[in-house]
Amino acid sequence: MINTHKRNILRKDYIALNVALYIDAFATMLFIFSVYFDAPTYFHLIFEYLIFVSMGILFLIIMRILSSKSEKRIIATFSIGIIGVGLIMIFGTKMDKVLAQSLLLVILLSRILIVDFRKVYPSKYIKSTVYLLFITETVRFITEGFITSDLLYHTFTDTWVSAFSFILRALSMVFIIILHDQLSINKNLAKTLDIQSSAKLLNQVFDQNPNVVILTNMKRQIIYANKQTINLTGYSEEELIGSTPSLLKSGLTPRKTYDELEKALRAGESWVGEFINRKKNGEIFTELSKIMTLKGVNGKPMFHLAIKNDITKEKAYLQELEYRSNHDDLTGLLRRQVFIQKLESNMGINHEHNHYFILMDIDEFKFINDNYGHLIGDDILIEFSSALKEVFDIRSYICRFGGDEFAVYLHDYEPEQVKLLIERLYQILSNHPIESISNEYRLRFSYGFTKIEIPVDFSKVYENSDKNLYEHKATKNNLRR
């Protein structure tokens, strides 16, 4: 759960600060006039008490902003302060001077002790301004306490003290104006945050998000992970918080992906990409991630936010579709168009190599289909394809052109090596009977191969190989006769 309490100053708090300060200024003006026109002492005390009340309200509001402690404790401290100062004003002349000053000191210390100095904000600028406002009001409290003591036990003549208090009041106004500049410009959001803390709101938004949400500090340490993160990865919140996202690394994501991510974040840009990560149980999964840098109101980067979506199933489905579009359904060999594209592409890259094209077909395949059925014919095609994959497994592409016609492209071979591979194919087929037909039946094939010249004209290459294939088939038929 997010527990950093990082938030901006709420518009409601800002307005309340202004109201309290205006009441304070009005009471001060009345106090100065009462002194100037030599009004009775009880008027001075009434206006001075009104100043203390307005300072108490300011204290209450500042505590709302600064403190994460119980609101009841804040109100209790405020009430004790108001009642305590009231008692001093009413019974001060009958009290011992030390007792009255001690009571003021206790009220001041109670205010200081209740402040939670661990509270943090999205900007050091905001934090410093709120603390300066608190310190200014604390000094004002001491100053007004001195004025009250002078009123009760002496004739108040030190107008410079009142002037100093007025200067402090003006300084408080400056700090409040500074805070105004830090307000959110989104009034609807500010209204929402007035009702509930931003931390609670973010927890609701992130936990109800169907995607994985991870928040890290600038050191890449995870400070928040929503429920979906825990459900997907298998790691507990305790295991995730304080660790880095590298906990999920599988080693399968290309280094280039991380380099592009670092480059985007350094430039202050959002990044979208895919990670191949590992769950706690070792299972590999793929996630589509959008990662961005979140900045404070002063423009300084504070967090990295990652919103991720598990696309493992979608990725597998797309890979299956891609495979089916590129490969023959029956044999798993390349389709014709894909084969030609790979041939032409590879020749463009490895133009210094020797390149060969072999065209083959299965002897007596029509006879097999007509006499044993198409299912047996399909088995024959699969058997022949398996033999081709076993022989032509390096620097080559294999294709089923259609029917019982197959093609092989090889590069970086010598002619003698190509002939040895063809001979090996003959040996594999001769040692493997087709039991669905007969234990004595062996597959035979005819072929024609051509050395491909650059620039490549595939139609001519195919035409030459087809011609050589039929010449080879005719030669075998003549030998049988």
Side-chain angles (χ1 to χ4, degrees):
M1 182 173 181
I2 298 176
N3 54 13
T4 56
H5 299 286
K6 292 178 180 286
R7 65 181 176 91
N8 209 334
I9 303 301
L10 302 182
R11 190 172 298 276
K12 181 176 69 175
D13 293 338
Y14 166 74
I15 293 172
L17 282 172
N18 272 282
V19 171
L21 203 59
Y22 282 125
I23 294 173
D24 190 358
F26 179 70
T28 302
M29 293 299 295
L30 291 175
F31 175 77
I32 293 173
F33 282 132
S34 69
V35 172
Y36 181 78
F37 292 107
D38 197 21
T41 302
Y42 66 85
F43 275 108
H44 303 338
L45 292 173
I46 290 172
F47 296 140
E48 186 63 25
Y49 181 67
L50 190 55
I51 292 172
F52 271 104
V53 171
S54 62
M55 283 196 300
I57 295 172
L58 275 171
F59 158 79
L60 185 63
I61 299 165
I62 293 172
M63 287 303 98
R64 279 172 53 87
I65 298 171
L66 279 178
S67 181
S68 60
K69 297 180 183 294
S70 170
E71 189 170 338
K72 291 181 179 179
R73 292 172 60 184
I74 298 171
I75 294 175
T77 304
F78 165 74
S79 301
I80 291 170
I82 296 301
I83 295 170
V85 173
L87 291 173
I88 293 172
M89 294 295 182
I90 297 171
F91 303 106
T93 54
K94 299 177 183 179
M95 283 184 185
D96 182 71
K97 182 179 178 180
V98 175
L99 177 61
Q101 290 177 341
S102 298
L103 185 55
L104 286 171
L105 181 60
V106 169
I107 294 170
L108 178 62
L109 289 175
S110 67
R111 293 185 177 191
I112 294 174
L113 292 175
I114 202 171
V115 179
D116 186 359
F117 290 99
R118 296 171 300 174
K119 183 130 181 201
V120 290
Y121 290 84
S123 165
K124 289 182 179 179
Y125 190 51
I126 289 179
K127 181 179 179 181
S128 300
T129 304
V130 175
Y131 281 149
L132 285 172
L133 178 59
F134 175 78
I135 292 169
T136 302
E137 288 303 306
T138 302
V139 176
R140 278 195 64 220
F141 186 93
I142 297 171
T143 305
E144 295 297 336
F146 179 82
I147 294 173
T148 301
S149 178
D150 217 25
L151 283 169
L152 291 171
Y153 305 107
H154 306 89
T155 301
F156 180 72
T157 55
D158 297 327
T159 53
W160 67 269
V161 179
S162 186
F164 178 66
S165 179
F166 191 84
I167 291 172
L168 292 174
R169 188 176 295 102
L171 189 59
S172 294
M173 177 63 79
V174 171
F175 291 142
I176 291 174
I177 291 172
I178 292 173
L179 290 176
H180 175 264
D181 293 337
Q182 306 301 318
L183 282 171
S184 169
I185 60 172
N186 190 325
K187 295 181 180 179
N188 292 326
L189 181 59
K191 186 182 294 184
T192 301
L193 296 180
D194 277 347
I195 299 172
Q196 56 184 322
S197 72
S198 54
K200 183 178 179 182
L201 177 66
L202 286 177
N203 274 313
Q204 291 177 353
V205 171
F206 288 161
D207 279 341
Q208 293 176 17
N209 194 307
N211 298 321
V212 166
V213 178
I214 294 177
L215 193 67
T216 71
N217 58 24
M218 296 309 291
K219 294 180 180 180
R220 309 294 171 86
Q221 295 170 318
I222 298 174
I223 61 174
Y224 173 78
N226 69 346
K227 293 178 182 178
Q228 283 67 27
T229 307
I230 297 168
N231 294 338
L232 175 64
T233 65
Y235 287 99
S236 67
E237 184 177 15
E238 290 73 19
E239 291 172 311
L240 290 169
I241 301 301
S243 65
T244 65
S246 60
L247 176 69
L248 303 173
K249 275 188 175 180
S250 66
L252 300 176
T253 303
R255 178 69 248 178
K256 182 182 178 183
T257 300
Y258 296 108
D259 292 340
E260 290 174 350
L261 169 61
E262 291 294 333
K263 183 179 178 181
L265 293 180
R266 282 197 300 268
E269 300 172 351
S270 298
W271 177 86
V272 178
E274 294 179 6
F275 293 118
I276 304 173
N277 282 338
R278 189 188 306 275
K279 298 180 183 181
K280 185 178 181 179
N281 63 7
E283 182 183 344
I284 300 298
F285 68 102
T286 304
E287 56 184 5
L288 178 65
S289 303
K290 181 173 184 179
I291 301 176
M292 64 203 79
T293 301
L294 302 182
K295 298 180 180 179
V297 291
N298 61 351
K300 183 179 178 181
M302 294 193 63
F303 306 108
H304 292 308
L305 175 65
I307 301 175
K308 306 181 177 185
N309 185 26
D310 182 9
I311 58 170
T312 307
K313 292 182 179 179
E314 292 85 345
K315 199 75 175 174
Y317 178 70
L318 289 174
Q319 289 173 348
E320 177 67 19
L321 283 180
E322 183 180 10
Y323 181 85
R324 287 182 177 276
S325 66
N326 292 337
H327 295 79
D328 178 61
D329 292 334
L330 179 65
T331 64
L333 300 180
L334 291 174
R335 296 186 185 274
R336 179 187 303 188
Q337 196 57 42
V338 178
F339 172 82
I340 295 172
Q341 289 173 355
K342 288 183 175 293
L343 180 151
E344 293 175 342
S345 174
N346 191 69
M347 289 191 66
I349 297 171
N350 301 298
H351 50 80
E352 73 282 359
H353 291 171
N354 291 329
H355 302 270
Y356 299 94
F357 178 80
I358 308 174
L359 189 64
M360 307 178 185
D361 69 12
I362 299 172
D363 294 345
E364 300 177 338
F365 184 73
K366 186 176 184 303
F367 173 82
I368 294 171
N369 255 345
D370 291 344
N371 289 273
Y372 296 97
H374 290 284
L375 291 179
I376 298 298
D378 288 346
D379 290 341
I380 295 296
L381 294 173
I382 293 171
E383 291 280 354
F384 188 68
S385 299
S386 299
L388 288 174
K389 293 174 186 176
E390 184 178 346
V391 174
F392 302 102
D393 59 341
I394 300 175
R395 302 190 301 280
S396 60
Y397 295 117
I398 312 171
C399 166
R400 181 188 176 193
F401 251 54
D404 67 323
E405 193 172 65
F406 296 82
V408 179
Y409 160 70
L410 305 99
H411 68 95
D412 199 20
Y413 284 91
E414 295 300 325
E416 293 76 14
Q417 294 175 304
V418 177
K419 291 178 180 178
L420 286 174
L421 290 174
I422 295 173
E423 183 60 33
R424 185 183 169 210
L425 179 61
Y426 272 120
Q427 292 174 357
I428 289 174
L429 294 175
S430 63
N431 293 329
H432 187 75
I434 306 300
E435 296 177 357
S436 56
I437 295 178
S438 166
N439 288 335
E440 304 299 324
Y441 190 85
R442 304 291 190 275
L443 278 182
R444 295 185 297 274
F445 67 96
S446 302
Y447 72 91
F449 87 91
T450 304
K451 183 177 181 182
I452 309 173
E453 302 296 338
I454 298 177
V456 60
D457 183 343
F458 185 78
S459 60
K460 290 185 177 180
V461 170
Y462 179 84
E463 185 181 338
N464 290 337
S465 297
D466 189 53
K467 178 181 177 183
N468 293 335
L469 183 152
Y470 278 97
E471 287 179 355
H472 180 235
K473 189 181 291 285
T475 300
K476 289 197 299 180
N477 289 337
N478 289 334
L479 289 175
R480 290 194 187 101
R481 295 193 187 102

